[in-house]
Amino acid sequence: MQTRGFLTCRDIAGFLADYLADQIPSASKAVFERHLEICADCVRYLRGYEATIALTRQAYDDIPSHWIDHQRLGLRTPASRYGRLNQEWKHPE
């Protein structure tokens, strides 16, 4: 991150994930937070970003665990369910 004493709104947007994960060095974090103190637009953007993360986590929590296990293993719906469809479908030449 640039630590020239100020950041642009574009700089802020580019480092939101690192900021929220607390992965920004303290000197850079101070510059980042100084910008947030004077820029209501970036604060709103940060709050929206945080809300998106929270909603995504909530949605992930609502997924049945057996489905997540299948996805982690690279499994999909059993092939037998789509076997006939796959046999009938031919790619156009």
Side-chain angles (χ1 to χ4, degrees), residues 13-87:
F15 290 101
L16 280 180
D18 292 338
Y19 176 75
L20 292 175
D22 201 25
Q23 296 180 346
I24 296 177
S26 59
S28 297
K29 187 174 183 178
V31 174
F32 192 98
E33 290 174 344
R34 194 168 32 238
H35 179 93
L36 292 176
E37 289 173 3
I38 62 169
C39 186
D41 289 337
C42 283
V43 171
R44 262 191 306 280
Y45 190 75
L46 173 65
R47 297 297 172 241
Y49 196 89
E50 289 173 318
T52 300
I53 292 169
L55 288 170
T56 302
R57 285 184 178 144
Q58 180 182 353
Y60 186 78
D61 289 343
D62 292 340
I63 297 172
S65 61
H66 69 276
W67 188 86
I68 294 169
D69 293 339
H70 281 267
Q71 295 303 310
R72 284 187 187 138
L73 296 172
L75 302 175
R76 302 282 183 233
T77 304
S80 60
R81 185 181 280 182
Y82 295 110
R84 183 171 159 215
L85 176 65
N86 290 337
Q87 290 171 1

